[in-house]
Amino acid sequence: MSDKILLKMENISKEFPGVRALDNVSLEVREGTVHALMGENGAGKSTLMKCLFGIYEKNGGRIFLDGKEVSFKNPKDALEHGVAMVHQELNQALKRNVMDNIWLGRYPKKLGFVTSESEMYQKTKKIFDELGISTDPRTVMSKMSVAERQMVEIAKAVSYNARIIVLDEPTSSLTEQEVGHLFRIIDMLKSRGCGIIYISHKMEEILKISDDITVMRDGTHVITDRASSFTMDKIIRLMVGRELTNRFPEKTNRPAEVILEVKNLSSKHNIVDDVSFDVKKGEIVGFAGLAGAGRTEVIENIFGISERSGGTIKLHGKEVLNRSAREAIKNGFALLTEERRSTGIFGILNICDNTTISNLKKYKKARLVLSDKSRRKDTEWAIKSMRIKTPSQRTQIRSLSGGNQQKVILGRWLLTEPEILMLDEPTRGIDVGAKFEIYQLIVDLAAKGKAIIMVSSELPELLGVCDRICVMSGGKLVGEVDAANTTQEEILALAAENV
């Protein structure tokens, strides 16, 4: 570990219409260290990194790399100067293979103009071997899990021989085993002298992996210090500006009669194999498992996104087919998807449009006319109840932080008044304060009789919020445990059964 300053960001400011996102924020990253960047959603963490990476043009301040002032025109410019960023929301060419994605725009050539597939394969394989990644470089990206695709992005950063690597919520979709693999890669990069800027809302891993920590709040710098001087409670207090005594709310829901029955569910196009379970009125049922276990696929089958090859779904004792998402919504089902950017938000539309788009029939006042007054009223409810940080309802959703985008989508589904609410990684990329609010909302909905299915890669989250936890492995349901009387070790042991 060195005291040499590799990256210095000095008095960075950034303004958007109606909001000052960064106000004279400074950051220093030492060579061979992990520098954690902490703050609530909307604190300015990702905005600061986008100013570094050339995505946003800063309104003020200076950036120094190895003591030389730099100002990158775009991400390509940043990459060529040794600054790489692995975004929370992956933006990849999913129809192309792994090595195409890594070498896009800089393909190795033979004879000066023909792409050398063999050289590209060998270079990719060498990097993967160094990083302990077992993926075949010829695999098409769309056939890979989010976790595997994230590892590809890290490998891409390494391929540029980056001195500074920004990891934005890198473990949000990773299992415990994959997190351990990522940490080993980070240790290797540190030993090479890289500076790692690490953005995460997971307190335990921040305290475990960081050398230095900077806390931001409302677009300003709060504190920077060695990680050893922080505790979890101190970080939370500095982030939210108040005491947060509990991570999880009191469970006030009281499960009643069975409302949803799923029997022998199997799928034609994914790995779901003979899955059976039920959910009671007012109950929160969690789904745990390693990446690729089939958790997401189960709820996608129930929602009609994937075609079933067998099995039945009964709501209140009556079979429902849910042959499409539209039919599922009509039958009282709602699904908050894992990948909000690709399957959740409509990036170019505003907050109001995104909030009300799943419930448009409610707002019709004539055949082709929607009531703007009703839509604005419901959007205002969502903004207040979800505590969404946005300049206005007319702000494009893509300009919000990832966590605030997630809150908009959750508000959207609640406005459809579903009986069965399915949540796939509902707090992915959301800060600790907002997490508690969403946990409280989930418990409150269950207390009002909603049946909730919750998929999460965070075992403490499942244990803290759910009543029961179903454990998946290899597409099968391998166990079911009472959340109040189980441990992370028991769940992980079940999850590893068919691996």
Side-chain angles (χ1 to χ4, degrees), residues 438-457:
I438 289 180
Y439 297 150
Q440 186 67 68
L441 186 60
I442 291 169
V443 171
D444 290 346
L445 288 167
K448 292 176 182 177
K450 302 294 185 187
I452 296 172
I453 301 172
M454 178 173 161
V455 174
S456 177
S457 299

Side-chain angles (χ1 to χ4, degrees), residues 1 30 32-36 190 206 209-213 225-228:
M1 192 184 302
R30 295 184 293 142
T33 65
V34 174
H35 194 122
K190 284 175 60 178
I206 285 294
I209 198 172
S210 302
D211 299 297
D212 303 311
I213 296 177
D225 207 342
R226 297 289 190 262
S228 58

Side-chain angles (χ1 to χ4, degrees), residues 109-355:
K109 304 288 186 181
K110 57 183 178 181
L111 303 177
F113 60 92
V114 179
T115 299
S116 174
E117 293 279 340
S118 61
E119 185 180 350
M120 189 159 58
Y121 177 87
Q122 292 300 328
K123 284 185 173 182
T124 306
K125 191 71 170 61
K126 182 181 178 183
I127 294 170
F128 279 13
D129 288 344
E130 287 177 5
L131 301 181
I133 298 172
S134 59
T135 304
D136 184 344
R138 297 189 179 94
T139 304
V140 176
M141 295 293 291
S142 61
K143 296 181 179 179
M144 298 166 62
S145 68
V146 176
E148 290 170 327
R149 288 166 47 203
Q150 205 159 31
M151 287 298 181
V152 171
E153 284 298 292
I154 293 169
K156 183 176 180 179
V158 171
S159 75
Y160 275 95
N161 296 315
R163 299 290 312 285
I164 294 289
I165 300 178
V166 182
L167 301 176
D168 192 354
E169 295 289 349
T171 64
S172 59
S173 59
L174 303 186
T175 62
E176 296 289 332
Q177 289 177 323
E178 290 162 337
V179 169
H181 183 195
L182 174 65
F183 285 178
R184 288 190 293 275
I185 291 174
I186 289 173
D187 284 340
M188 184 186 72
L189 293 172
K190 284 175 60 178
S191 69
R192 293 181 179 181
C194 293
I196 311 292
I197 301 175
Y198 195 94
I199 301 175
S200 177
H201 294 302
K202 297 182 181 179
M203 300 292 169
E204 294 92 344
E205 68 183 34
I206 285 294
L207 292 172
K208 180 178 180 180
I209 198 172
S210 302
D211 299 297
D212 303 311
I213 296 177
T214 289
V215 179
M216 295 178 63
R217 185 168 67 237
D218 298 327
T220 64
H221 174 272
V222 177
I223 190 173
T224 296
D225 207 342
R226 297 289 190 262
S228 58
S229 71
F230 289 90
T231 63
M232 191 180 299
D233 288 342
K234 180 180 178 180
I235 294 172
I236 293 171
R237 185 173 67 254
L238 290 166
M239 279 173 55
V240 303
R242 64 185 189 278
E243 295 288 345
L244 193 64
T245 54
N246 296 310
R247 290 182 64 192
F248 303 103
E250 180 185 354
K251 293 181 181 178
T252 57
N253 59 308
R254 298 292 179 266
E257 71 277 7
V258 171
I259 184 175
L260 176 70
E261 298 172 83
V262 177
K263 299 293 184 185
N264 309 118
L265 188 71
S266 298
S267 174
K268 285 185 176 180
H269 303 300
N270 55 40
I271 65 172
V272 178
D273 183 12
D274 198 30
V275 171
S276 299
F277 67 97
D278 58 45
V279 186
K280 297 172 183 174
K281 182 176 182 179
E283 186 179 30
I284 306 169
V285 175
F287 268 74
L290 305 178
R295 300 166 301 168
T296 294
E297 289 79 3
V298 166
I299 58 176
E300 286 182 347
N301 270 257
I302 294 171
F303 198 62
I305 295 175
S306 300
E307 187 179 355
R308 296 191 301 278
S309 59
T312 58
I313 302 168
K314 290 184 178 180
L315 183 63
H316 297 297
K318 296 182 179 179
E319 186 174 355
V320 291
L321 298 177
N322 288 1
R323 290 163 294 198
S324 65
R326 185 187 298 273
E327 186 176 344
I329 294 169
K330 186 179 178 181
N331 288 331
F333 291 76
L335 171 62
L336 187 150
T337 58
E338 177 184 10
E339 283 292 288
R340 60 175 163 261
R341 184 178 183 188
S342 58
T343 58
I345 67 167
F346 297 86
I348 62 172
L349 300 183
N350 61 36
I351 308 304
C352 183
D353 292 335
N354 271 276
T355 302

